[in-house]
Amino acid sequence: MDKFEIYNRRYLGSKTKLLDFIHQVVSDNCESIDSVFDVFGGTGVVGYSFNKEKSVIINDILMTNYVIYNTFFSNKKINIKRLEKIISEYNKKIVKKENYYSKNFSDTYLSKKNMKKVGYIRDDIDELFKGKKINVREKSILLCSLLYALDKIANTVGHYDAYRMNGDLMQTLLLEMPNLDMDQYNNNNIIYNMDSNEVIKNQYADLVYIDPPYNSRQYCDAYHFLENVVRNEKPEVFGVAKKMDRSNLKSKYCTSKAADEFKNLIDNVKAKYILVSYNNTGEKGNARSNAKISDSEIKEILESKGEVKVFEKEYAQFTTGKTKLEDHKERLFLCIVGKNLSKKKSNNNDIVKSPLNYTGGKYKLMPQLIEKFPNDIEIFFDVFSGGTNVGINVTANKIICIDKCKQLISLCKYLQNQNYYTLVKKLDELIDEFKLSNTYRDGYAYYNCNSSNGVGQYNKDKFTMLKNEYNNSNPKRDDLFLLLIFYSFNNQIRFNKFGNFNLPVGKRDFNASIRKKLRLFMDKLQSKEIIFYNNDFRDISIDVLTTENSFLYLDPPYLLGTASYNENGGWTEADERELLEFLKKCNEKKIKFALSNVIEHKGDTHDLLLAWCLKNRFNITYINCTYSNSNYHIKDKSLETKEVLITNY
């Protein structure tokens, strides 16, 4: 009897032609691999290619693929002669009686004659199993034989999203035996039919191979007919393609939630190595064919587990027939789990640095500030919140951030409501649109520079175009503003008197460091109850502040300073006097506050502030600080800035 191999099947994303590439990467970069877990098994060819030398764990959510794995990976004893006899009888059988398949699918994927035969064979397999004439693996082998026979003559382009209107329906349905010569190696294999993100939680393997769906094309849609045949539940079908209800089989990897699902999957992997297959179809095909997770997202998520290496190979992809891709490349991302993971500093574990690099930001001072803040704060008011370094890192039941810069407050609200991986994908697309550098993806050498001299020269003209696009947008686009910050001088923020962003290009871009800051910042931002207001301190009602256990922290522009936000008379002595008067009234209402400011700067003393503190008997604590991103460098130590925290408690 003729036999078929596991790879004798048309299947979207099949890796048959990439097996040599996969094995070469594993051979050259992985050591002591005894077990391989193929999480999204699909056709099973990758797992099967390791079967001779490794223990294989294989999984797929489709029952179609599960019966194929039971055929080729199981070690359960079978009676080959009995199976061959049954298959021979099926091939000789002439079926005249109508059944579920002939009534619903005649002259679609197969002829009416063949559909009658499919229905007879499918029901007979169930009867044989119920009568205990075949075991569970023998049932899978017969189903597998039927599936491969169907697929061989199906009136399709290799999937069942549609059938050919004038296709060839004259071929005969003939079943064959699978080639089971590898059975001797199946002793330690494990087979699953589960959701990938669930099965990964409790299964270890030395090498975990991950080949998720790439785009919006659901596999349960593409292979609904085969799934219907395998399950044989005879559901109602609908539409031209005669599809059943597949809602329980839909994959989030085919949706906008793909990156989140991938992150959850990787977080739960237990392995020495993780090998991910993905391609570069980000914007190359039609919308449904575009990859749902970007290279940058994959790399960043994997880097949370260890060192990542990327390999690529040109590849002619099997598509649904509508999409022709140029320069298509299949990529392998290899993660060496645990290698080069950055260690957290024990004294700064819970303190997150804002990616919004506002001059005078308090990230480095947070341990000193938190030590001086009261315990059990009900509502924390962060006035002049800037880049939110303070507000995001304090502990309170509610945090209210107030700043006069409407663009900054708008951006904070935007980040509060964005999914991190969706946002990163959008930023990467904007980077490509404006032809800016992406050293996270390409490295510095690609742009003919190094980390020391940076990418400023390369980005100069592109940055100007981005800046003009943002300044001319109405309303102002938060995504463009965020990208401007990442590519600007020292990642800082500055607007001129006309409200236009006016910093020059910097030498850094949306690199690994910024991506990590953004992710940690957004995680913390979205885990707390934080409300943002675009207001001046004068708009704050003191009566509102009298709430029990409310606390007021203020970090105004420093009158003695020359920061970018204090240019063009941005903060005057009149402003300072009004702020001090406001705090005096707060004190009279017994509202606790802490005020950051400077007492001395470049040899000048803030006499107004000092006199106010002494008159009202406020406490002055000197803060040990330095601002490495300030625009001045002091050689005379007697001219150093002396920063203080003034409190009324």
Side-chain angles (χ1 to χ4, degrees), residues 290-341:
N290 291 343
K292 289 295 181 182
I293 313 176
S294 70
D295 287 0
S296 297
E297 288 172 310
I298 293 172
K299 189 167 178 281
E300 183 172 353
I301 292 169
L302 287 174
E303 282 175 342
S304 69
K305 298 287 281 192
E307 180 182 301
V308 177
K309 298 179 180 179
V310 184
F311 309 87
E312 66 180 24
K313 180 181 178 66
E314 292 186 2
Y315 178 56
Q317 183 191 33
F318 170 50
T319 71
T320 57
K322 298 178 181 179
T323 308
K324 292 184 178 180
L325 302 177
E326 301 294 334
D327 190 32
H328 174 71
K329 293 179 180 179
E330 191 77 16
R331 291 196 170 98
L332 288 176
F333 298 79
L334 177 67
C335 175
I336 306 170
V337 177
K339 186 175 181 181
N340 292 342
L341 279 179

Side-chain angles (χ1 to χ4, degrees), residues 136-154:
V136 66
R137 188 184 178 202
E138 289 170 335
K139 177 184 177 181
S140 290
I141 290 171
L142 292 175
L143 288 174
C144 183
S145 178
L146 178 59
L147 291 174
Y148 276 69
L150 274 173
D151 191 60
K152 189 174 182 179
I153 65 168

Side-chain angles (χ1 to χ4, degrees), residues 112-126:
K112 185 170 186 175
K113 176 183 176 181
N114 282 330
M115 282 298 180
K116 286 181 179 180
K117 195 167 187 176
V118 168
Y120 169 80
I121 293 171
R122 185 61 194 86
D123 288 342
D124 190 66
I125 292 172
D126 280 350

Side-chain angles (χ1 to χ4, degrees), residues 60 86 103 133 223 225 266 352 364 476 546 549 618:
D60 201 278
I86 293 171
K103 289 177 182 177
K133 294 180 180 179
Y223 300 101
F225 177 63
I266 296 303
V352 169
K364 291 184 178 180
K476 291 289 187 281
T546 57
N549 289 332
F618 295 145

